[in-house]
Structure formats: structure tokens, C-alpha cells
Amino acid sequence: MLKELLSAWRGRDALARMFDEFDRMLEETHWMFQQAVEVFFSRVDWQAVQSPLYERDKTVNKLERSIRAQVVKHLSIRQEANVAACLVLMSVVKDAERIGDYCKNIFEVGKFYTSEFTSADYLDSLERIRTELEDLFGLTKAAFGQSDIDRARRVQKQFGVTSKECDELIQALLQRHASIETDEAVAYSLLARHMKRIGAHLSNISSAVIAPVHKLDYMDEAGPGEMS
């Protein structure tokens, strides 16, 4: 589907501008994710991050509105408008905006949790998942920007693994496989859940490279990319 979009609008300034703006959305949310996780693990003071993080979120929201306005304008004034391509852009910008929201959620958990983390096993698992998401941000950006099918499939395959890891961590916490304080368990489970949602939205964005419009937001083989 992404190749159809490029074919439909190739050479037009509007397309280049919208792609640049969407690329910036991914860059801004990647920064938000990195900083939010640092706050969660108390490696950065939340007071130093709060203002720039929320400013970046405003920028992401502004970029989403800009892209959507350009899509609507394109549909309104061009009889040959590619409606399917427009729907793709409308879909992926919402995914990018939602990533920003989950980054704020991670930041808020780190801001409000004031106790010490004590479980090395859970911390190691969460750090591994964080590293996997770092890779997914880079792969998604490259897959979408270059219409790279191989990278898009790698995103979907890796998210299938990461999603399972998040679920297993939350299941272990609910089944009390380790004796830890309730507030610590809640913090771990929230981080795992929010990272899973971020991964799902990155997977959804990558699906635009390989899927027709009616199958956007669904992974190829590993199961549906959730949106709730």
C-alpha cells in the first residue's frame, strides 16, 4: 500500500512535506520513549524531563493535525485523489500519536513511583524489552521511510516476540511468582503493558508497507496488532 501512495503522489511537494512531518513524529516519540523509561528507572530526574516531554507531545499532536489537514485538502481539491493512500496516512499518524500518549503514561508511572526497585529478574526482563523496542523504532522508521518490506516484516516478527515477553512478565506478577511489594509489582506491570502497546502501534505503522487498507493494524502471521 505504501508503494501505491508513493506512486500516486510522486513528485508532489505535499507528499514530501507529509512524509517529513510523519518522520518527525516518529523521531519525537522515540525521544519521548527513551526519556520516559529513564525516568521510570530513576536514572533521570522527572522534573528535568517533564516540560520537554510534554512539549514534544504537543508537537506530535500538532504534526498529526497538520498531516490530516493536508490529506483532507488533497481529497477535496483533486478529483484523481487516491483515497486508499489517504486512509493509510490517516491510520499511521494516529498510531504515532498514540505512541506519544503511552510514553507519557510511562513517564507518569516513573514520576509517581517513589520506592526502590528490588527485583533484578523483572528489571532485567524490562530492560531487555526496552532494548527490543529501541530496535523497533529504528526498523519502523526505516521500513516506512524507504517502503522496505523486509524491514516491515522484521518489525512484525520481533513484535510477536516482544508482545509475548510482556504478557509472560505480567502473568508472572499476577501469579505472584516472586515476593515483591504491591506498588513495585504494579509499576512493573504498567511498564510492560505500556511498552507492549507502543510495540503494537509500531507494528501497525509497519503494516502500511505490506498490507492493503482493510488489513492495516493486523500483523501478517503473529496475530492481530491490538489497538485497545
Side-chain angles (χ1 to χ4, degrees), residues 44-140:
V44 175
D45 186 348
W46 68 264
Q47 292 178 317
V49 170
Q50 179 169 268
S51 180
L53 186 139
Y54 277 84
E55 285 301 315
R56 301 257 183 157
D57 184 60
K58 290 178 182 178
T59 297
V60 169
N61 294 340
K62 186 181 298 184
L63 289 167
E64 179 192 21
R65 292 194 297 270
S66 173
I67 294 171
R68 288 189 165 192
Q70 291 174 72
V71 168
V72 170
K73 180 179 179 181
H74 176 80
L75 288 171
S76 300
I77 66 176
R78 294 188 179 277
Q79 291 183 345
E80 76 280 13
N82 187 314
V83 176
C86 292
L87 291 175
V88 169
L89 272 177
M90 286 290 200
S91 175
V92 296
V93 296
K94 185 60 181 176
D95 282 305
E97 185 271 335
R98 291 296 292 147
I99 290 172
D101 289 342
Y102 284 112
C103 291
K104 287 191 301 181
N105 293 155
I106 292 173
F107 166 80
E108 288 162 359
V109 175
K111 174 182 176 180
F112 296 129
Y113 181 79
T114 58
S115 301
E116 294 291 329
F117 291 121
T118 63
S119 176
D121 289 341
Y122 284 116
L123 290 172
D124 289 345
S125 295
L126 290 168
E127 285 281 17
R128 183 178 65 254
I129 294 168
R130 177 198 64 79
T131 299
E132 292 168 358
L133 279 184
E134 289 279 359
D135 292 340
L136 288 182
F137 269 103
L139 280 172
T140 299

Side-chain angles (χ1 to χ4, degrees), residues 7-26:
S7 177
W9 289 342
R10 189 175 301 281
R12 296 180 181 175
D13 291 341
L15 174 64
R17 183 166 58 252
M18 282 186 277
F19 267 70
D20 286 345
E21 290 182 354
F22 182 71
D23 191 64
R24 188 179 174 194
M25 290 181 76
L26 292 180

Side-chain angles (χ1 to χ4, degrees), residues 79-224:
Q79 291 183 345
E80 76 280 13
N82 187 314
V83 176
C86 292
L87 291 175
V88 169
L89 272 177
M90 286 290 200
S91 175
V92 296
V93 296
K94 185 60 181 176
D95 282 305
E97 185 271 335
R98 291 296 292 147
I99 290 172
D101 289 342
Y102 284 112
C103 291
K104 287 191 301 181
N105 293 155
I106 292 173
F107 166 80
E108 288 162 359
V109 175
K111 174 182 176 180
F112 296 129
Y113 181 79
T114 58
S115 301
E116 294 291 329
F117 291 121
T118 63
S119 176
D121 289 341
Y122 284 116
L123 290 172
D124 289 345
S125 295
L126 290 168
E127 285 281 17
R128 183 178 65 254
I129 294 168
R130 177 198 64 79
T131 299
E132 292 168 358
L133 279 184
E134 289 279 359
D135 292 340
L136 288 182
F137 269 103
L139 280 172
T140 299
K141 190 171 181 292
F144 193 89
Q146 301 171 29
S147 189
D148 190 319
I149 293 175
D150 289 338
R151 283 193 176 99
R153 293 195 182 280
R154 285 171 60 191
V155 171
Q156 296 189 341
K157 182 177 181 180
Q158 180 56 57
F159 173 64
V161 174
T162 301
S163 176
K164 183 177 180 181
E165 291 173 342
C166 291
D167 289 342
E168 289 174 346
L169 189 149
I170 294 171
Q171 182 180 3
L173 288 165
L174 290 173
Q175 295 177 348
R176 304 178 69 85
H177 288 177
S179 179
I180 60 177
E181 296 295 328
T182 300
D183 59 345
E184 185 176 2
V186 169
Y188 291 155
S189 62
L190 285 173
L191 178 58
R193 179 62 180 172
H194 295 331
M195 288 199 294
K196 178 181 176 180
R197 303 308 319 128
I198 290 171
H201 285 290
L202 290 171
S203 179
N204 290 345
I205 292 169
S206 76
S207 73
V209 178
I210 54 180
V213 172
H214 68 282
K215 289 187 177 181
L216 289 183
D217 300 345
Y218 284 85
M219 298 173 64
D220 187 34
E221 295 178 352

